[in-house]
Structure formats: C-alpha cells, structure tokens
Amino acid sequence: MSILNRKIQPDFEPIPGIEYIEPKVLKLDNGIELFSVNAGNLDILRLELIFKGGSYAQKEPLIASSTAVMLAEGTKKMSAQKIAESIDFYGAFPTLGANRHSSNVGVYTLSKYLPQTIEILQDMVFQPTFPQDEFATMMNKRIQGFHVQHERTGFIARREFFKLLFSIAHPYGKITELKDYKNLNTEQLFDFHKRYYNSDNCKILLAGKFDDTIIQKVNQTFGQENWRGKSFSEDKKFEIPENNGTERVFIKKENAMQSTICIGKKMINKKHSDYIGVKIVDTILGGFFGSRLMQNLREDKGYTYHIDSMIASARDSGYFLIETDVANEVCKDALDEIYKEIRRIRQELVSVEELEVVKNQILSEMLKLFDGPFGAMQTFWSMKEYDMTFEFFDNFIEVVNKITPTEIRDYAKKYLHEDSMTQVVSGNPDGFDTD
Amino acid sequence: MIEFKRYTLKNGLRVLLQKDNTTPFVFINTLYDVGSRDESPNKTGFAHLFEHLMFEGSVNIPDFDRPLQIVGGENNAFTNSDYTNYYTYVPTQNIETALWLESDRMLGLNFSQEKLNIQKDVVIEEYKQSYLNQPYGDAKLILKPMAYKIHPYRWSTIGATMDHIKDATLDDVKEFFYKYYAPNNAILSIVGNIDFDATIRLIEKWYSEIEMRNTPKRKLPKEPTQKDARTQTVTRQVPYDGIYKAYHMYNRVDTKFHATDLMSDVLSNGKSAQMHQNLVQKKKIFSSIDAYLHDSIDEGLFVVEGKLMNGIDMDKAEMAIQEELDLIKNEIVDDYTLSKVKNKIESTFVFSQISPLQMARTLASFELIGGAEMINSEVGKYLTVSASQIQDVAQEVFRKENCSTLYYLAEKK
C-alpha cells in the first residue's frame, strides 16, 4: 500500500461552467406571458403570479404587503378558514407578499394537486373580500410583531440606515410607524387590488415537473379574457435623494447585550457596467465565510459570531451594507477594524492567491443559482425584472476570470471610500455615551 | 423509494451513498454520535464549542476553509443535544478535496490555545446573539431545566451558562476529541452525481488508515416520571406576555412517536390548525400559538407556546390552551383533519427531497437511530396512525402533573 501524503491537497478541477436553464415563454389566450422551467425529477411545482406594483406604488405604508397577505383571508366563495383548510389539505404552501415594485401570489404544490390549488389562487386573486374581522386580527398581529421587532437592535439599526440612505420622502427609505398600522383600512386594500391585480399587469412563472395538461389548466384558469379591468401604472415617480450620506448615528438601547453595526452607502445596481467589479470587491471584503471581515473580526479577534457585507439592487438604485452584532465592550474596536478593512482593499493590491479563492467562490456561487428548477426560475426572474438576460452571467464569468488586482483596487477606490459611508450603531456599547 | 448504498469500513465508519444526477454539487455529511447529552454537568456547551474547533486546523492541514474555498466548496455544522453534524459541499469533480479535509480532522486535530480562546469568544457572542439578545430568546434555556431534573437534556446545547465555555481548557478539548471523534462513532453520507464504486475507493483511500478508538458506552440516567405540575415566572423587557408549557413525551423510536407528531400538526401546523383557528382567529387571545415537539432521541418534550394579545389575562390564556388540549383528549379527530395532516406529512417529505443536503443529513440521522432504511418507511408509519391513537397519546401526554409551565411576563413600563 502506498503511503498517503496528507499534507498536499489532492488535484482539483476548475469550477464547471453553468448549464443555463432558459425558461420557455408562451402566451396564454389573453396575452399573459407564462415562463416555465420543466425540470427536476420530483413531482412538485412552484406557480407564481407576479403583478407590477409594490410598496413603491402604494399611497400609504403597508398597503401593498397587507393587500397580498389579506388575499387569503376571505373571498366571495370561501371564508379565511376554508381557504386555509383547502391549502393545508392538499399539502400546499402558499406564498403571498409584496416587494418594492411588485406583488406576488404563489404556491408550492405537489404537481398532482395543481388543478385544485390553482383554483384557490384564482379565487384569491379574482374576488377577495378583505373582511373586517380578519383584517383587524391581522393588523393586531402585525402591531405586536412591530413591537417585538423594536426589541431587536438589528431591526432598529437597519431601519435607521435605510432612512438615512434614501430619506423618508422616498419609498426605499420610508419607514413604517405605529400610526401607519392604525390608519390603514380595507378601502385602501380594495383600491390597491383594483389597480394592480389584473391580467394586464400580470406575469406567471411555473417551475418543476409538469405536462401539457398543467399548462392547459393554467391557461384555463388565468388565460381567459382580460380579467379585472385595466391596469394602472405607478403614478408617482420619486427622485433618489442626492445626499452622500455620511452621517454617523447612535441609537441607545439600554438592555442590549450586543450592539448592531450597519455601515454602508447607496450603490450602483446590477444594470450598471461596474456592478460586477464592485460585487467582486464586496465578496473579498465580506461576501463569504473566508472574507476579510469574517477572518478579521470573527476568526482573528472573536468580536462577533458573524459579519458580512452585501451589495443589493433595487430598480432605481442599490445599496452596499456591512452588518454585524458585536460584544458591547468591543464595539469601538470593531468599527475601527471594519474601516481598516475597507481602507486596506482601497489601498493595497489583493494577492493572487486570495483572488483565486474569491474567483472560485463566485463561480461556484453562480453554479448554485441554477441548481434545480426553482433556483433556475428565480435566477431567471432576478434578471427579467431588470430587463436583463443570462448574458449577464456570461459577462460575469468573463470579468471574474480576467479581473486584475489593480482593477479591483480601482473599483474599491471609486465606490467604497470609507469616508463615503453612513454608519448606524444600535445597542449599549462601551464608550458611546459621550457622543 | 429512495435508493441508497451502505458500506462499512474495517475501522467501523458507516457510509451511505445516494445518487442524485440533478445537481452539479456533491454533498458530504459527517455525523458524530456525540451531543450535549454526553457532556458532564459542570462542562456544558462543550460539544458545540468543540464543533467550532473542528474548523481550526487538523493534524496535517493547518487551515480547513481555504483549501475548500479554492475548489468552490462550502461547509458548516450544527450541534444538538443528540449529535454533531458537519457538512461540506463541492462541485462534484472536486469530491476528493472534501474527503481529504474531512478525513484529516477525523484523524486528529491540531489547534492552538490562541484559537481556542478566540472560538470561546465567538461562541459567547453566538450565545448572546441567539438567546440572550433576542426577545423571548432565553425561554428555552429556562424551560429545559424545569422539565428535566436528572437527564442531561436539562441543559441547552449552547451551554447551561457562559462560564462553562469561558472555563474550557485545551486538555478538556483534546480529551473530548479522542473520546468521541472516532470512525466507529461516525456516519458518513454522500449525495450527488457520484459513481458508487469510485466513491468507495476514495473513501477507503482517505479514511481506512484512521484507527478505531474506544468510545465510551453511553449510560444516561432516565428522567424520573414527573409527579407534580411545575411552574416558574420570569419578567423580562419584552412587549407582550408569553406562556410556555412543556409536557414529557416519548422517545424517537417509540411506536407512539408518529401519533404524537401528527397530534402537534392537528393542533398547530398551518393556518387551518385547531389552535390557530380557535385561539388566534376566533377568540383572539393569542397573536401566535404553536405546538411542537423536540424530536430528540431520548424521551423529549411536547411544547405549547403562545404570545398573548395585549390586555389578555394570563389565567384566561392558560385556560384557553387547556380547553384546546381537553378537546383533543376528549373528542376524536375527524377523518378530514386526519387526512389533511397526513397529506401534509407526505408533501413535506417530497419537498424535502429537493435538497440533496437535506437528504444526506436525513440518511445519516436515520442511520443513527435505527437504520437509514427508515427514510423509506417513516411516511408509511404516519399514514397508519388512527384517530384513536392520537386521542390515546393526547390523554397520556396532556396531564397536569406532566407539565412544566413558564410564565414569561412583560415588564410593566
């Protein structure tokens, strides 16, 4: 038997290329676009209706999300209890919600029960009744949730951070207050539903394992005539505020055992040609377990259980955010180390070895985006809603493979100067009382 | 039917392989048969602290993460009261790096006092982040020692107190490793687009030289039957009162386990469940109510927990819970509801198969308690449960003297 040399890493291969799963597009009889990914070996499906119009379009806070959630609380045919019973009976999992620019109504279901579950969805979308009693119960629950969230330093800090970045005059920075819960009424939900939940405004995503009869069923259910009238578009346009956001805010929470730190700024989004470069900088800094922030603040100093950075897109803007919960005693030191890491990536060249690791992490991360039919569909939509295609990923791979340490430093210089950051600390850190 | 292959190495390492050709990754799951129940009462939190140290360098490899990251891999781990579970996944082509790394840290660890100190700090921050700095976060830390007086389930996996973690020494840690991190105390499960024979050859290559070790036979004290209802009240800076009721129940391989699990679904799984409908939607006594079981290997707990709506009196809330439990004790679950909870078990099982990682973990954890074959027989066991069996377990479990109740009161401002 040969003797193993355990000190040397076995040979390995480059990260394999992505096998894109491009959804099929077809039009239902009424013109709604249906995007479908027929893949996987399990008899399960995800069906989702996406309507243009989310929190950006609402006239008052909470309307978009409450409209979506309340669809399951009663229709002309079914009571809230009956809806819940039926969905549970088929072992399905509904998903209802609103984002900044869209609202969604969906379900995870066994393929064999799609004919039943899709009818429940249809009823919810076509004729919800927004009953008062259920509405009151939901609002009371949400108010309780609001108060519980206010006990979390992470919630307090993030809320303040987005307010500082985008201002409360802009939907991206608008924060919900207690009075908003109290002022909301079902008339507003009816109105929002009327404006946005209609066929003109709808796209449908279907992923999983299905056959033609299921496509036909989708067409029968949502593809007949133009349902629910004409669509409105978001009727108000908001300008992203110009401030460069370098505030430093401290919010004390007496009983907190840790302090949350949020540091970041407004950022270009994925439609911008520099986005991929900044994303690579972000990955080195805080985008994976081996990132510099994680290595420094957790693995080297033990200040925190977790720290990460992210760059996120919104339709009209984007943001960069570093977030962590640290021990109160070391909060100031943690801040110093975070800024030191930002400075370092702006001033020093990344080593070839480190860059190699980061490249492979990014390529592997991309491979994961296309793992399974649900992932592939979600990835497709994350492009489609920005009017982008999978070309973005080809481009990404090319940039990742070619980028040099100098270019990385230049991206950091251009976009991530530590003096351009907004900082929020919430908690009970040592040495902040005099600020 | 989920097909898998079993293989055992001479050193006692049990291997389970499942082919899944839909993923470009291979998932390598290593379960060690050691959890917080194996800790000594004055050194709690150890199994979990140790899990952190497993990433701090092994006998031949100073850094676990980098070699994995460079091949596009990721990893993580968790510890519970029964076992410690590590997983690694890499693009399929690079499986050998994962086996090299995993086998080396089974062979032996090599970390410094300094790294131990840092990880103690990290775990203490985890303790705060997950339990102490969360509203209601310490409830489960309080509930366990109320329900268990003798059995080691009385402390939480994170540790009974942060002091135990602070006091851990390098010698303690080394001793723990040699006691439990042995091939004959581990289960390796791999799921991905793999060739069985080639994978077994690689496993033999990297694991066969690791020697079998003497692992102490587990002798845990049995928790004596609870004879009187227990209560405790705490006051915390939270916005609303909460209530937690914990009942002793069956162990994981007891024939009544499945009926008990279904009973928790009847009570609170999904918006249509009995307790949610009655207590949240209709009577509006709670903003949330949940009934779930700790599916631990030894005799576990059935917990009912709720957050009270503003202005509701605690006595009234507790009585309302009692009425729901009496209902399931006194009235047989109707056929529709029984089919509903069984359908949900089936669909949840199908959906769980989306994740090869989940499959690898499930195979290993079933192997631990009675054989990986359970992956194909468990759903069937749920389907044969009758309504009267659910009623029987309700009557056995929901007895006043079997219950520990924690009143978690909001500090008046």
Side-chain angles (χ1 to χ4, degrees), chain B residues 68-84:
Chain B
L68 186 65
Q69 285 156 0
I70 200 142
V71 304
E74 269 194 54
N75 66 82
N76 212 333
F78 66 87
T79 309
N80 63 29
S81 49
D82 295 323
Y83 58 85
T84 313

Side-chain angles (χ1 to χ4, degrees), chain B residues 169-356:
Chain B
T169 69
L170 207 53
D171 284 342
D172 290 336
V173 169
K174 282 185 177 150
E175 189 199 320
F176 197 86
F177 178 81
Y178 283 104
K179 233 166 151 177
Y180 296 109
Y181 279 70
N184 45 309
N185 204 40
I187 298 161
L188 174 66
S189 54
I190 300 182
V191 179
N193 196 2
I194 48 170
D195 176 271
F196 286 155
D197 293 338
T199 307
I200 285 170
R201 277 198 298 278
L202 283 176
I203 294 169
E204 282 283 3
K205 173 176 169 187
W206 290 105
Y207 286 86
S208 62
E209 69 177 39
I210 306 171
E211 283 179 19
M212 205 178 241
R213 294 179 198 132
N214 274 330
T215 301
K217 206 165 155 45
R218 184 176 282 124
K219 273 185 277 178
L220 299 181
K222 204 170 158 56
E223 182 65 23
T225 308
Q226 185 175 335
K227 298 224 172 67
D228 296 295
R230 296 167 188 161
T231 62
Q232 191 176 331
T233 303
V234 298
T235 304
R236 294 283 187 272
Q237 206 167 333
V238 291
Y240 304 100
D241 293 343
I243 180 170
Y244 300 79
K245 294 177 83 72
Y247 295 87
H248 291 280
M249 57 162 262
Y250 313 98
N251 68 43
R252 182 61 186 81
V253 294
D254 194 290
T255 50
K256 290 175 181 164
F257 176 86
H258 305 89
T260 317
D261 200 8
L262 284 178
M263 176 171 75
S264 78
D265 293 343
V266 171
L267 289 173
S268 92
N269 189 359
K271 267 173 74 185
S272 72
Q274 179 194 317
M275 279 185 142
H276 182 83
Q277 279 299 323
N278 291 341
L279 302 183
V280 178
Q281 295 296 129
K282 290 193 189 124
K283 295 184 185 163
K284 306 185 197 316
I285 291 175
F286 290 92
S287 63
S288 69
I289 187 94
D290 203 5
Y292 57 91
L293 35 102
H294 295 175
D295 55 349
S296 45
I297 295 178
D298 297 328
E299 282 71 10
L301 295 178
F302 189 107
V303 180
V304 178
E305 68 167 79
K307 305 256 163 31
L308 277 62
M309 287 301 284
N310 214 7
I312 297 285
D313 182 67
M314 181 60 84
D315 287 346
K316 183 181 172 186
E318 186 169 23
M319 215 132 61
I321 291 179
Q322 195 54 53
E323 281 170 25
E324 296 304 316
L325 303 182
D326 286 343
L327 191 65
I328 202 160
K329 282 162 78 172
N330 298 333
E331 286 181 28
I332 200 122
V333 173
D334 63 73
D335 289 347
Y336 177 86
T337 304
L338 189 60
S339 309
K340 180 183 78 177
V341 293
K342 288 179 177 178
N343 285 349
K344 204 145 188 182
I345 291 278
E346 273 188 287
S347 101
T348 304
F349 178 68
V350 178
F351 274 97
S352 77
Q353 296 172 45
I354 302 174
S355 161

Side-chain angles (χ1 to χ4, degrees), chain A residues 186-219:
Chain A
T186 54
E187 284 309 307
Q188 294 165 310
L189 309 192
F190 276 113
D191 179 62
F192 191 86
H193 178 254
K194 188 177 163 195
R195 281 169 172 261
Y196 299 104
Y197 287 74
N198 49 52
S199 54
D200 266 9
N201 213 17
C202 177
K203 302 225 184 302
I204 302 180
L205 314 180
L206 178 67
K209 202 166 152 189
F210 55 86
D211 57 22
D212 282 349
T213 60
I214 283 184
I215 298 279
Q216 281 159 22
K217 182 71 193 175
V218 175
N219 189 32

Side-chain angles (χ1 to χ4, degrees), chain A residues 289 368, chain B residues 26-32 51 54-55 64-65 68 73-79 84-90 98 101-102 105 187-190 355-358 360-361 364:
Chain A
F289 194 92
K368 218 182 306 164
Chain B
V26 62
F27 298 80
I28 292 114
N29 190 86
T30 312
L31 181 154
Y32 289 95
E51 172 216 309
M54 282 286 276
F55 295 91
F64 183 90
D65 289 311
L68 186 65
E74 269 194 54
N75 66 82
N76 212 333
F78 66 87
T79 309
T84 313
N85 195 74
Y86 299 83
Y87 66 85
T88 297
Y89 62 92
V90 290
L101 286 164
E102 285 292 358
R105 63 179 178 178
I187 298 161
L188 174 66
S189 54
I190 300 182
S355 161
L357 178 63
Q358 182 64 41
R361 189 180 296 169

Side-chain angles (χ1 to χ4, degrees), chain A residues 6 73 88 91 290 360 364, chain B residues 56 66 70 72 206 271-272 347:
Chain A
R6 288 186 167 271
E73 298 299 323
D88 284 341
N360 287 346
S364 170
Chain B
E56 298 301 317
R66 282 280 137 152
I70 200 142
W206 290 105
K271 267 173 74 185
S272 72
S347 101

Side-chain angles (χ1 to χ4, degrees), chain B residues 37-57:
Chain B
R37 65 176 166 166
D38 299 305
E39 295 162 350
S40 78
N42 51 8
K43 288 179 184 175
T44 67
F46 236 74
H48 171 252
L49 171 64
F50 192 81
E51 172 216 309
H52 279 246
L53 296 168
M54 282 286 276
F55 295 91
E56 298 301 317

Side-chain angles (χ1 to χ4, degrees), chain B residues 52 79 107 127 135 148 158 163 199 290 341 354 405 411-412:
Chain B
H52 279 246
T79 309
L107 188 67
Y127 202 129
Y148 294 102
I158 194 77
D163 291 336
T199 307
D290 203 5
V341 293
I354 302 174
T405 307
E411 198 170 281
K412 299 274 183 296

